[in-house]
Amino acid sequence: MNASLFRSKLHYGWIVVLITFITLLTSAGIRSMPSVLMLPFEAEFGWSRAGISSVVSVGIFLYGLVGPFSAALLERFGIRKTIAVSLSVLAVGLAITPLMTRLWQFELLWGAVAGLSTGMMANVLGVTVANRWFAKRKGLVVGMLTASAATGQLLFLPLFARISEQIGWRTAVYATVGVIAVLFLIVVLWMRDHPYEVGAAPYGGEEPVKPAPFRGHIFLAPLIALRDGMRSKTFWLLAGTFFFCGFSTNGLIGTHLIPACGDAGIMPFVAAGLLALMGLFDLVGTTLSGWLSDRFDSRWLLFWYYGLRGLSLLFLPYALNAGPTELLIFSVFYGLDWIATVPPTVKLTSQAFGKEKAGMIFGWIVVAHQLGASTAAYGAGLLRDGFGTYTIPFIGAGFVCVLAALMSIRISKTLRAA
């Protein structure tokens, strides 16, 4: 595969988007694997639901915390090197996982190693690719790359659950290591850091522009960006709504829907299929959200997204006990809205803080998202152990989504042009 061959047929930026899509897809699929492992680990090791949830909680938080520093590393070392190193670390951590026997080992491998390495391949990567390679269609690109997280569940969860049930979870983990090895080769061979490398302008741009060298400090630059962001009301509103976004998505549903279905007598493979169905509809919903964010007021898009998500979560406890039709309805409506909030949030971040700072500022907003997810992942497991049901966390998440909807329309209208 040669850059000049593609240059004559289509913009190489779309090749970079495809590789980034696959990378984010794989990373998200791996991050969602503990939801399938929760019940087998309870049975094999005797670990409590709250104990396993604490590992997921730590991993989710570190996944978000590394985001701003990931943005700086991407600027300093380039997209290809950063992804390659992250994939290598992740593969080693997964390869060791089948040997563990203690909860602290699970904490180390999945809380720390997997959390940090997948965090390097999260939403900040998609924002960096969109800003470097595209002068136009940024909203669409961000929507597509964000949707890859849902597609990761679509591909990984049912397959991982099936392999775990029929052959064992250790075999499923080793199969995932093989997928990472293939992806590593794809990244090393065909990923490019900047359109200037292939002699092209950004998509929609006029002429090639040499990238400016990164002059900041890898660890200080994100902290300076945080300081600047914290002076803005818009930052706090975006971070606050994204906290509730994480609380109501990967922290709650992504982590606990499968065990909640298990409590209702639904097999793990069927429950994983429900998450996969959500992923399929989110692929549509989030890509459409990116298209809409190029055309409509992102504040009102967020209002509708959070409001409708809240209603679907209030419906979930009834759906779990009502039957397959009601669960199917929930999966479709919730799936369309799973992470549709990301493209409008990225758009508002870029408008408020400018393209140069958008990656690191959005990285800190993602930290708030993952802090919310971490809170829900552990809190829901704790409440389930205490009350024997997930009804309280599901209902609570529905109400905080309504609050997030109201916060969204408080974001200032007077933002700079993107």
Side-chain angles (χ1 to χ4, degrees):
M1 188 177 294
N2 185 282
S4 61
L5 175 64
F6 280 100
R7 201 181 312 149
S8 63
K9 295 183 178 180
L10 83 164
H11 194 278
Y12 201 85
W14 295 111
I15 305 301
V16 173
V17 167
L18 176 61
I19 297 173
T20 306
F21 185 96
I22 297 171
T23 300
L24 293 174
L25 176 153
T26 304
S27 174
I30 291 170
R31 278 290 342 137
S32 65
M33 282 165 54
S35 63
V36 176
L37 296 173
M38 193 171 291
L39 295 180
F41 283 4
E42 273 188 311
E44 179 172 340
F45 299 112
W47 300 338
S48 70
R49 192 78 57 92
I52 298 171
S53 296
S54 71
V55 176
V56 178
S57 177
V58 170
I60 287 174
F61 176 68
L62 292 178
Y63 174 89
L65 182 62
V66 77
F69 303 97
S70 168
L73 289 169
L74 289 166
E75 293 292 334
R76 172 64 179 84
F77 296 107
I79 297 171
R80 179 165 55 177
K81 287 182 181 178
T82 303
I83 296 177
V85 171
S86 300
L87 289 172
S88 301
V89 173
L90 181 60
V92 171
L94 262 64
I96 297 173
T97 296
L99 305 177
M100 68 182 186
T101 57
R102 298 286 188 271
L103 184 61
W104 69 264
Q105 295 167 343
F106 186 39
E107 187 84 62
L108 176 64
L109 294 173
W110 282 86
V113 175
L116 292 172
S117 55
T118 55
M120 298 297 296
M121 301 175 285
N123 287 327
V124 171
L125 173 60
V127 174
T128 301
V129 168
N131 283 332
R132 282 191 182 186
W133 285 88
F134 291 82
K136 296 181 179 179
R137 303 289 187 267
K138 286 185 183 179
L140 177 62
V141 171
V142 170
M144 292 169 59
L145 295 179
T146 301
S148 64
T151 308
Q153 292 182 343
L154 172 68
L155 295 177
F156 270 80
L157 279 182
L159 181 61
F160 188 83
R162 176 64 76 182
I163 295 174
S164 297
E165 285 183 6
Q166 294 187 345
I167 307 177
W169 65 267
R170 290 175 175 82
T171 301
V173 169
Y174 285 133
T176 304
V177 174
V179 171
I180 295 174
V182 173
L183 177 57
F184 176 86
L185 291 176
I186 292 173
V187 169
V188 169
L189 292 175
W190 297 308
M191 176 60 82
R192 298 292 180 269
D193 293 324
H194 196 278
Y196 191 79
E197 287 187 33
V198 295
Y203 181 87
E206 297 296 329
E207 58 184 40
V209 178
K210 188 174 182 178
F214 179 75
R215 299 187 183 281
H217 191 281
I218 291 175
F219 296 105
L220 287 181
L223 297 175
I224 293 171
L226 174 63
R227 181 198 63 189
D228 295 341
M230 291 175 65
R231 296 170 178 170
S232 168
K233 174 185 174 183
T234 296
F235 173 83
W236 288 108
L237 287 170
L238 289 172
T241 54
F242 233 39
F243 176 93
F244 294 135
C245 180
F247 189 95
S248 58
T249 53
N250 57 320
L252 182 63
I253 300 301
T255 303
H256 290 285
L257 182 63
I258 291 177
C261 286
D263 291 346
I266 301 170
M267 295 295 292
F269 178 72
V270 176
L274 289 173
L275 278 175
L277 182 65
M278 292 179 198
L280 176 63
F281 279 95
D282 185 69
L283 178 62
V284 176
T286 305
T287 302
L288 178 61
S289 175
W291 183 85
L292 291 172
S293 69
D294 283 330
R295 291 161 175 79
F296 298 101
D297 188 336
S298 292
R299 300 174 309 124
W300 285 100
L301 291 177
L302 290 177
F303 172 82
W304 285 107
Y305 295 159
Y306 284 121
L308 293 172
R309 183 189 298 171
L311 293 177
S312 67
L313 285 167
L314 293 173
F315 174 72
L316 177 56
Y318 165 77
L320 280 169
N321 296 306
T325 301
E326 287 77 5
L327 268 179
L328 183 63
I329 292 171
F330 167 78
S331 298
V332 170
F333 281 93
Y334 181 89
L336 285 169
D337 196 13
W338 177 282
I339 42 178
T341 53
V342 174
T345 302
V346 170
K347 179 72 175 289
L348 291 168
T349 304
S350 296
Q351 288 177 331
F353 302 103
K355 183 176 71 173
E356 294 77 15
K357 293 183 179 179
M360 281 182 279
I361 293 289
F362 181 68
W364 286 112
I365 293 172
V366 171
V367 171
H369 181 282
Q370 297 305 102
L371 182 59
S374 178
T375 302
Y378 180 65
L382 202 61
L383 288 169
R384 162 58 179 76
D385 281 349
F387 293 95
T389 177
Y390 281 105
T391 298
I392 293 175
F394 289 156
I395 294 293
F399 282 115
V400 300
C401 284
V402 174
L403 175 60
L406 297 176
M407 291 172 62
S408 298
I409 57 177
R410 298 291 297 169
I411 297 171
S412 175
K413 293 181 181 179
T414 56
L415 301 175
R416 72 180 78 176

Coordinates of all heavy atoms in Angstrom, one line a residue, residues 302-312 337 398 401-402 404-405:
L302 N -27.4 18.6 22.4 CA -27.1 18.0 23.7 C -28.3 18.0 24.6 O -28.6 17.0 25.3 CB -26.0 18.8 24.4 CG -24.6 18.7 23.8 CD1 -23.6 19.5 24.6 CD2 -24.1 17.2 23.8
F303 N -29.1 19.0 24.6 CA -30.4 19.0 25.3 C -31.2 17.8 25.0 O -31.7 17.1 25.9 CB -31.1 20.3 25.1 CG -32.5 20.3 25.7 CD1 -32.7 20.6 27.1 CD2 -33.6 20.0 24.9 CE1 -34.0 20.7 27.6 CE2 -34.9 20.1 25.5 CZ -35.1 20.4 26.8
W304 N -31.4 17.6 23.7 CA -32.3 16.5 23.3 C -31.6 15.1 23.6 O -32.3 14.2 24.0 CB -32.7 16.6 21.8 CG -33.7 17.7 21.6 CD1 -33.5 18.9 21.0 CD2 -35.1 17.6 21.9 NE1 -34.7 19.6 21.0 CE2 -35.7 18.8 21.5 CE3 -35.9 16.6 22.5 CZ2 -37.0 19.1 21.7 CZ3 -37.2 16.9 22.7 CH2 -37.8 18.1 22.3
Y305 N -30.3 15.0 23.3 CA -29.7 13.7 23.6 C -29.7 13.3 25.0 O -30.1 12.2 25.3 CB -28.2 13.8 23.2 CG -27.9 14.1 21.7 CD1 -26.7 14.6 21.2 CD2 -28.9 13.8 20.7 CE1 -26.5 14.8 19.9 CE2 -28.7 14.0 19.4 CZ -27.4 14.5 19.0 OH -27.2 14.7 17.6
Y306 N -29.4 14.2 25.9 CA -29.4 13.9 27.4 C -30.9 13.6 27.8 O -31.1 12.7 28.7 CB -28.8 15.0 28.2 CG -27.3 15.0 28.1 CD1 -26.6 16.1 27.7 CD2 -26.5 13.9 28.5 CE1 -25.2 16.1 27.6 CE2 -25.2 13.9 28.5 CZ -24.5 15.0 28.0 OH -23.1 15.0 27.9
G307 N -31.8 14.4 27.4 CA -33.2 14.3 27.8 C -33.8 12.9 27.4 O -34.4 12.2 28.2
L308 N -33.5 12.5 26.2 CA -34.0 11.2 25.7 C -33.3 10.1 26.3 O -33.9 9.0 26.6 CB -33.9 11.2 24.1 CG -34.8 12.2 23.4 CD1 -34.5 12.2 21.9 CD2 -36.3 11.8 23.6
R309 N -32.0 10.2 26.6 CA -31.3 9.1 27.3 C -31.9 9.0 28.7 O -32.0 7.8 29.2 CB -29.8 9.5 27.4 CG -29.0 8.3 28.0 CD -27.6 8.8 28.3 NE -26.9 9.1 27.0 CZ -25.7 9.6 27.0 NH1 -25.1 9.9 28.1 NH2 -25.1 9.9 25.9
G310 N -32.2 10.1 29.4 CA -32.7 10.0 30.7 C -34.1 9.2 30.7 O -34.3 8.3 31.6
L311 N -34.9 9.5 29.7 CA -36.2 8.8 29.6 C -36.0 7.3 29.4 O -36.7 6.5 30.0 CB -37.1 9.4 28.5 CG -37.5 10.8 28.8 CD1 -38.3 11.3 27.5 CD2 -38.4 10.9 30.0
S312 N -35.0 6.9 28.6 CA -34.8 5.5 28.3 C -34.3 4.8 29.5 O -34.6 3.6 29.8 CB -33.8 5.3 27.1 OG -32.5 5.8 27.5
D337 N -28.5 6.9 21.1 CA -28.1 8.0 21.9 C -26.9 7.7 22.7 O -26.4 8.6 23.5 CB -29.3 8.4 22.8 CG -29.1 9.8 23.4 OD1 -28.2 10.6 22.9 OD2 -29.8 10.2 24.3
G398 N -31.2 8.1 35.2 CA -32.2 8.7 34.3 C -32.4 10.2 34.8 O -32.5 11.1 33.9
C401 N -29.4 12.5 33.9 CA -29.4 12.9 32.5 C -30.4 14.1 32.2 O -30.1 14.9 31.4 CB -29.8 11.7 31.6 SG -28.5 10.5 31.4
V402 N -31.5 14.1 32.9 CA -32.4 15.3 32.7 C -31.7 16.5 33.2 O -31.8 17.6 32.6 CB -33.7 15.0 33.5 CG1 -34.6 16.2 33.4 CG2 -34.5 13.8 32.9
A404 N -28.5 17.1 33.1 CA -27.5 17.4 32.1 C -28.1 18.1 30.9 O -27.5 19.0 30.3 CB -26.8 16.1 31.6
A405 N -29.3 17.7 30.5 CA -30.1 18.4 29.5 C -30.3 19.8 29.8 O -30.1 20.7 28.9 CB -31.4 17.7 29.2

